[in-house]
Amino acid sequence: MTVQNAGKTPSRKQRLQEKQRRQLAVVDTVDKAEVKLRKAEAELALAVAEAVQVFGDEHAASQGLDMPAEAIRRFIDIAAAETAAAAEDAAGGAPAEPDAAG
């Protein structure tokens, strides 16, 4: 009687290919989530920048939004970068972040 493992147990090559496929799928999922996160962060940054204008200054916005002043400043910096990038794109310039493509 002969043992037939070929039909039941994948070969080392098949196991490696499946592991690599799962790894690539996870990397793709993380990449897509990072893009969503950057978009959401940029949207939040623009909203925080608008809140600073509405509240009058960073301190008042920090209190009104119940957000640390450091976070307010970080979002203002992000909003400024987004605004600069949008202006550069509108002017036909190169992308502001060269590592965004990679």
Side-chain angles (χ1 to χ4, degrees):
M1 194 158 97
T2 316
V3 177
Q4 296 181 351
N5 286 338
K8 296 180 182 182
T9 305
S11 69
R12 283 182 286 173
K13 181 179 177 180
Q14 289 170 325
R15 288 192 308 265
L16 178 59
Q17 287 173 332
E18 177 60 21
K19 182 178 179 179
Q20 288 175 333
R21 186 197 65 75
R22 287 192 316 261
Q23 288 173 338
L24 288 173
V26 169
V27 167
D28 187 49
T29 300
V30 169
D31 286 348
K32 288 177 182 176
E34 285 178 333
V35 168
K36 288 179 184 179
L37 176 63
R38 282 193 298 273
K39 287 180 182 178
E41 189 175 53
E43 186 177 330
L44 176 58
L46 293 173
V48 168
E50 183 179 352
V52 170
Q53 290 177 347
V54 169
F55 282 100
D57 63 18
E58 291 179 18
H59 180 73
S62 175
Q63 289 180 333
L65 298 174
D66 194 27
M67 185 179 286
E70 298 81 25
I72 297 283
R73 281 187 220 98
R74 185 173 79 84
F75 285 123
I76 288 173
D77 291 342
I78 292 169
E82 286 294 318
T83 303
E88 210 169 294
D89 286 346
E97 295 181 85
D99 62 333

